[in-house]
Amino acid sequence: VPTGPAAHCVIQDAQGRFVYATSLGADVIMRFAFDAASGRLHDMAATALPAGAGPRHLQLTADGRFLYVLCELDGSVGVFAVDADTGLLQGRQILRTHAEGFSQAQAADVHLSPDGRFLYASERRTHTLTAWRIAPEDGSLTLAGAWPTEAGPRGFAIDPSGAFLLAAGQQSDHLSVYRIDPNSGALTAIGRHATGGNSNWIEIVDLPHA
């Protein structure tokens, strides 16, 4: 399926009706209708972001009402409402992962807490993890806090219980473990572990017990 340059991420909604993908080079989010019988994508509609934003990773809320995009090049987080019938996006809010005036962002990863109350993002030049509180009625974000983390936090993950966040430092070759406060979303460091070089992604899997 043709896309704009650097199609960086692709996700599907929970009902299997729509697929969303980013084009980091074209500054758009693409929405495709998904034909489950043929497995084909069709009816692409593009939602533009500000020039130079560089949309990278996407997250959909569990109920499919809101979509969040993390933009690598300007360090912004965009909030979009999702039309229940068409899957089309309507822009609601744009926030930053870094302080005002910081002009060389390199945002990396974004995840929702399992309970859907918080959104977290990593930024590699400031070496930070930022959290926002999510308003359930309209999906809007309010800053909950920002915390220093491993150098170059390219990838992080939240465990299925929502109690812990793990962040990998691509430049530090270490992984830090944080406890998540269930009420405020705040992160408290509780452990640090050496990894292989150039660590950049984390997957948490539930292995069957022997």
Side-chain angles (χ1 to χ4, degrees):
V1 176
T3 69
H8 203 89
C9 170
V10 59
I11 62 173
Q12 189 177 33
D13 73 334
Q15 291 74 38
R17 299 171 58 211
F18 302 108
V19 166
Y20 299 89
T22 56
S23 170
L24 192 148
D27 294 318
V28 298
I29 302 170
M30 296 165 283
R31 186 237 56 182
F32 298 92
F34 176 64
D35 185 333
S38 66
R40 295 184 179 276
L41 303 177
H42 61 95
D43 190 27
M44 192 273 280
T47 299
L49 287 107
R56 178 177 171 91
H57 283 170
L58 300 168
Q59 288 281 293
L60 272 169
T61 55
D63 59 12
R65 294 172 59 211
F66 306 106
L67 179 143
Y68 300 95
V69 59
L70 178 67
C71 295
E72 176 178 348
L73 302 183
D74 70 358
S76 65
V77 173
V79 182
F80 294 86
V82 181
D83 186 279
D85 296 322
T86 66
L88 295 176
L89 305 178
Q90 181 180 17
R92 291 287 178 85
Q93 190 180 23
I94 295 179
L95 299 171
R96 301 288 179 181
T97 60
H98 53 278
E100 193 69 30
F102 186 77
S103 60
Q104 294 184 327
Q106 196 176 21
D109 203 3
V110 64
H111 292 283
L112 288 160
S113 60
D115 61 9
R117 296 177 59 215
F118 298 98
L119 182 76
Y120 293 85
S122 64
E123 203 289 314
R124 286 172 282 181
R125 292 195 186 275
T126 56
H127 317 300
T128 56
L129 295 164
T130 301
W132 296 270
R133 186 175 290 103
I134 299 173
E137 61 276 6
D138 63 2
S140 62
L141 301 178
T142 302
L143 183 66
W147 300 269
T149 189
E150 297 291 338
R154 182 166 176 177
F156 71 94
I158 300 172
D159 85 296
S161 75
F164 304 103
L165 184 150
L166 294 80
Q170 191 171 21
Q171 299 169 19
S172 70
D173 302 335
H174 278 74
L175 176 147
S176 281
V177 182
Y178 302 87
R179 188 182 304 278
I180 300 174
D181 185 296
N183 297 312
S184 67
L187 302 179
T188 301
I190 60 173
R192 190 170 189 251
H193 308 275
T195 64
N198 195 36
S199 54
N200 63 42
W201 199 255
I202 295 173
E203 290 287 343
I204 299 173
V205 296
D206 185 13
L207 296 176
H209 297 288

